Amino acid sequence: MMFAAIKLVDIAARSLFLLLVLFSLGDRAAGQFGLTVTLITWFTFLAGYERYADLQRSLLGRTADEIRTLLRAAVRFFALNHVFLLPIMTVLLVAWVELSVTVAILYLVVAVSEHLSQELYRLGLVVERYRVSVLPALIKNLALCFGFALWVALANEAPTMEQVSWMWAAVSAIALFATTLVAKRIERSTDPRGREDQPLGLKQQYQSSLTHFKLGAFALGSLQLDRFVVGALLPLEQGGVYFRHVMLVSFFYSAVTIVSYNRILPSVYAAARGAVPAAARSIVSTERRRVLTLSAVALVVLSGVTLLWGRVFSDAGLAPSFLATLLVAFTLRICADYNALLMNAAHREADVLRGFLLAALPTLVVNLILCFIFGIGGAVASFACGAALYLVATYFVLNHASRQS
């Protein structure tokens, strides 16, 4: 529970930092920043190749020597992905987001730091001694959050995109160095100096994670497709307004993922491994009810604030109707994720992929049409439609798979 609390504070600090930047920058710069954060998210996904899913299951019950071998192979795997992805990331930041080469390179440092901290958090979920390695990321995000807030409060003018990039990259570089030192110290302290097992080859790692990669690509695509459509169809100024709304509400999704989804994941996997599918479903059902209750309370609070202090939203350039729609959309998305968790725990990754495919094309069509016709409002509505389609698809595939088995 403490590990989940630490990660929740970490996510809260990072989200608050991103929101402070988005609301401090002008509309155009906010649009650039939103697209940059989106590309960083995709970089961390592609560099990780969803390797963590296979690793988490492989690391359970292993000796320290076996864990060390698996992790060293994973590090080589990630390094190769960085070599291929960093040049592509640079081109996209310069050509699409319209950043200078210097600023683009600074955000590459951020991307690598974000990826490493994410992988170590996932490692800590199943190997307890690595949990301390998330502390540098926590300190980094707290420093960014409070440092940037102080900067904005004391500065005489609004920050620029270049200033934000220097600050984020500098703090990320320090955190990256500290994280590496902590991880190496953990490895040395647990090294039994025994026989070195044959490590997994790169080709074998790509093959073993291919299905999870496909699943993750559809999952992330369905969650962030709207951001790419907004970046492609709308001017950067309108994109900035949209990113402020979606990133504000996405904190709810991130918080629930940390506190609920990741917390129950080991229990659901253990129940499924023990051939007790009813127990796994019971765990998920309980969490789903809690999330729905939390979401309902959040909507009531949002409605109350709108009625009593509606000017707070208008002064910040926010639309309560957009926030409420996005909150419902993220809630539907969370419920769909629980369906996918049950199928993943039962090693039915192909069924999860089938659910993504059923929802992918209709979501893309709806997103393009509504965003093109209605602009930001259409993008918000299409996000909710996509979440609903994903929930229906995963529910159908989950229950169909259960009947077939």
Side-chain angles (χ1 to χ4, degrees), residues 5 17 34 45 51 54 59 80 83-84 104 136 185 210 214 224 234 276 296 298 300 323 336-337 347 366:
F17 166 68
F45 164 72
R51 187 77 192 98
D54 184 59
L59 291 171
L80 178 63
V83 170
F84 284 105
R185 183 167 183 173
L210 179 59
K214 292 178 181 179
Q224 295 201 341
L234 301 181
V276 191
V300 171
L323 295 175
D337 287 343
H347 294 266
V366 169

Side-chain angles (χ1 to χ4, degrees), residues 42 68 98 109 139 165 168 188 196 198 232 251 257 372:
W42 275 90
R68 180 191 58 186
E98 301 176 12
V109 176
I139 296 171
S165 67
W168 198 359
R188 286 196 301 267
E196 182 77 12
Q198 182 66 30
F251 172 65
T257 299
F372 180 77

Side-chain angles (χ1 to χ4, degrees), residues 86-356:
L86 288 173
I88 299 174
M89 178 82 165
T90 305
V91 172
L92 289 174
L93 288 172
V94 173
W96 185 29
V97 188
E98 301 176 12
L99 300 179
S100 68
V101 175
T102 300
V103 172
I105 292 174
L106 291 172
Y107 280 119
L108 297 184
V109 176
V110 174
V112 172
S113 178
E114 294 284 305
H115 175 229
L116 179 61
S117 63
Q118 184 181 78
E119 295 299 340
L120 285 172
Y121 162 68
R122 289 165 169 169
L123 174 61
L125 288 172
V126 293
V127 184
E128 187 172 350
R129 63 176 174 270
Y130 278 91
R131 292 183 177 182
V132 69
S133 62
V134 303
L135 292 179
L138 172 64
I139 296 171
K140 174 197 71 174
N141 288 322
L142 287 172
L144 284 171
C145 178
F146 290 106
F148 187 78
L150 183 62
W151 178 17
V152 171
L154 298 178
N156 296 322
E157 57 184 9
T160 65
M161 185 68 169
E162 184 174 359
Q163 290 171 328
V164 171
S165 67
W166 277 104
M167 178 180 184
W168 198 359
V171 178
S172 294
I174 296 172
L176 183 61
F177 178 73
T179 301
T180 303
L181 290 180
V182 171
K184 285 186 175 181
R185 183 167 183 173
I186 295 171
E187 180 179 324
R188 286 196 301 267
S189 66
T190 57
D191 187 354
R193 303 185 184 279
R195 180 179 58 85
E196 182 77 12
D197 293 337
Q198 182 66 30
L200 291 175
L202 293 173
K203 182 179 180 181
Q204 185 178 355
Q205 291 186 74
Y206 280 113
Q207 290 175 338
S208 62
S209 296
L210 179 59
T211 301
H212 289 116
F213 174 73
K214 292 178 181 179
L215 294 173
F218 280 103
L220 187 59
S222 63
L223 189 62
Q224 295 201 341
L225 176 65
D226 58 304
R227 305 184 191 191
F228 282 102
V229 173
V230 166
L233 296 183
L234 301 181
L236 285 170
E237 291 77 6
Q238 293 187 39
V241 175
Y242 179 76
F243 281 119
R244 288 173 186 144
H245 283 83
V246 75
M247 286 194 178
L248 180 61
V249 185
S250 66
F251 172 65
F252 173 80
Y253 179 78
S254 299
V256 172
T257 299
I258 298 300
V259 175
S260 176
Y261 183 95
N262 288 344
R263 177 177 57 80
I264 69 171
L265 183 145
S267 299
V268 172
Y269 276 7
R273 176 181 290 182
V276 191
R281 283 178 175 265
S282 177
I283 295 171
V284 168
S285 296
T286 299
E287 289 301 312
R288 185 185 291 116
R289 287 193 296 270
R290 290 172 178 170
V291 169
L292 290 174
T293 301
L294 178 62
S295 180
V297 171
L299 285 171
V300 171
V301 172
L302 177 61
S303 301
V305 173
T306 303
L307 292 173
L308 297 175
W309 303 287
R311 188 173 177 179
V312 172
F313 294 111
S314 59
D315 290 345
L318 297 171
S321 60
F322 289 175
L323 295 175
T325 303
L326 289 169
L327 181 59
V328 172
F330 276 112
T331 302
L332 296 176
R333 171 71 193 208
I334 292 166
C335 292
D337 287 343
Y338 287 137
N339 292 338
L341 174 60
L342 287 171
M343 288 184 280
N344 277 325
H347 294 266
R348 308 190 82 109
E349 288 87 356
D351 291 320
V352 181
L353 182 59
R354 191 173 297 111
F356 284 134

